[in-house]
Amino acid sequence: MTTENSLTKSDLIESLARSQQHLALKDVELAVKSLLESMSHELASGERIEIRGFGSFSLHFRPPRMGRNPKSGDAVALRGKFVPHFKPGKELRDRVNGDHTDD
Amino acid sequence: MHTDRVSVFARNGATVDTQRETGHGEKLMALTKAAMAEMLFNDLGLNKREAKEFVEQFFEEVRLALESGNDVKLSGFGNFVLRNKSARPGRNPKTGEDIPISARRVVTFRPGQKLKARVEAYAGSQQQ
């Protein structure tokens, strides 16, 4: 079941529990949480995730820049940082786009 | 040590072999479905077939939701958000030929606060 046009973690756990009838709900819950934790951990260690047919996650570097304190207007030096980036794979791109083929 | 291997299975520029080397010589191995299944086998005691099937179905459920027009919100990790892009003029970068890009639906990923903070902590540990 999805609520307001989105699938949440608990929706995902319920669907998986329905399709994996041999697993108890709490095991499905633990497995989903473990998978997400392993993905977060991988990125937090500076490494990539590559899921064929789904996409890849990597880190993009944002260089240091001068920012401003929005209240005082003072210039503040912001250090460079890494941010997570997702690139959808071909199967996901095509399916999301309703398989319209062009070029 | 030269382990800059490119798999013979690599096609269309996609590197199947995920082992690679950084400029600093340390080896990196990307997290894959196989590694995730291995973790479910080792840590949660699913058998190998169940573990492989579970990982496959996990990503399939996300794809199914997105395909049917639903965003996917995984708290603590991030949200997969659908966006409709209108048609725009494009160009073949090789030939310079004008080719219109049709309207399309795309998926974007917005990392959650918790993931962003963890990844930034990694950046803080690297001296730039």
Side-chain angles (χ1 to χ4, degrees):
Chain A
M1 285 294 135
T2 57
T3 48
E4 15 172 282
N5 263 8
S6 64
L7 180 86
T8 62
K9 199 192 296 181
S10 50
D11 297 326
L12 179 58
I13 290 165
E14 281 178 37
S15 316
L16 285 167
R18 277 196 300 274
S19 73
Q20 314 291 304
Q21 295 272 343
H22 53 289
L23 299 177
L25 181 65
K26 67 170 178 30
D27 292 335
V28 171
E29 190 173 358
L30 190 56
V32 165
K33 288 178 177 170
S34 301
L35 290 182
L36 290 171
E37 172 54 28
S38 70
M39 292 168 76
S40 294
H41 181 265
E42 194 77 359
L43 291 171
S45 316
E47 297 187 24
R48 295 169 50 85
I49 304 169
E50 293 176 359
I51 308 297
R52 213 169 310 161
F54 186 78
S56 60
F57 297 84
S58 59
L59 300 186
H60 279 188
F61 184 63
R62 297 278 177 263
R65 63 187 176 91
M66 292 304 288
R68 273 188 195 283
N69 179 328
K71 277 193 187 130
S72 63
D74 294 344
V76 201
L78 297 174
R79 51 188 307 179
K81 63 174 182 180
F82 284 92
V83 294
H85 176 76
F86 174 65
K87 184 171 189 290
K90 178 162 168 45
E91 182 190 342
L92 180 59
R93 280 202 312 270
D94 289 349
R95 287 175 61 177
V96 157
N97 194 37
D99 221 357
H100 302 139
T101 43
D102 52 48
D103 74 324
Chain B
M1 222 177 105
H2 275 282
T3 47
D4 203 15
R5 298 189 284 140
V6 175
S7 167
V8 292
F9 302 113
R11 236 179 272 147
N12 301 329
T15 309
V16 174
D17 192 328
T18 55
Q19 192 165 18
R20 62 197 190 281
E21 219 172 336
T22 66
H24 313 293
E26 73 255 53
K27 242 183 276 173
L28 298 179
M29 186 72 101
L31 183 65
T32 59
K33 283 189 283 195
M36 292 169 86
E38 187 72 15
M39 182 205 65
L40 294 180
F41 168 73
N42 288 327
D43 299 355
L44 302 188
L46 303 200
N47 71 39
K48 294 214 172 180
R49 187 186 47 77
E50 288 170 339
K52 185 165 182 276
E53 163 73 14
F54 192 92
V55 172
E56 197 56 59
Q57 200 56 36
F58 171 86
F59 289 107
E60 179 58 13
E61 292 288 348
V62 176
R63 280 191 297 249
L64 281 169
L66 293 168
E67 179 177 42
S68 51
N70 295 309
D71 290 348
V72 175
K73 300 182 172 177
L74 304 174
S75 65
F77 187 71
N79 300 342
F80 295 91
V81 181
L82 293 166
R83 296 190 58 189
N84 292 310
K85 311 272 249 185
S86 42
R88 61 190 166 90
R91 179 163 294 182
N92 180 327
K94 276 186 193 137
T95 63
E97 189 189 353
D98 287 328
I99 300 173
I101 297 171
S102 57
R104 63 192 60 211
R105 186 157 68 173
V106 298
V107 56
T108 61
F109 176 66
R110 300 186 51 87
Q113 282 306 320
K114 196 170 149 195
L115 178 60
K116 279 202 277 192
R118 287 177 72 177
V119 163
E120 268 188 61
Y122 164 75
S125 70
Q126 303 293 302
Q127 267 336 302
Q128 293 122 29

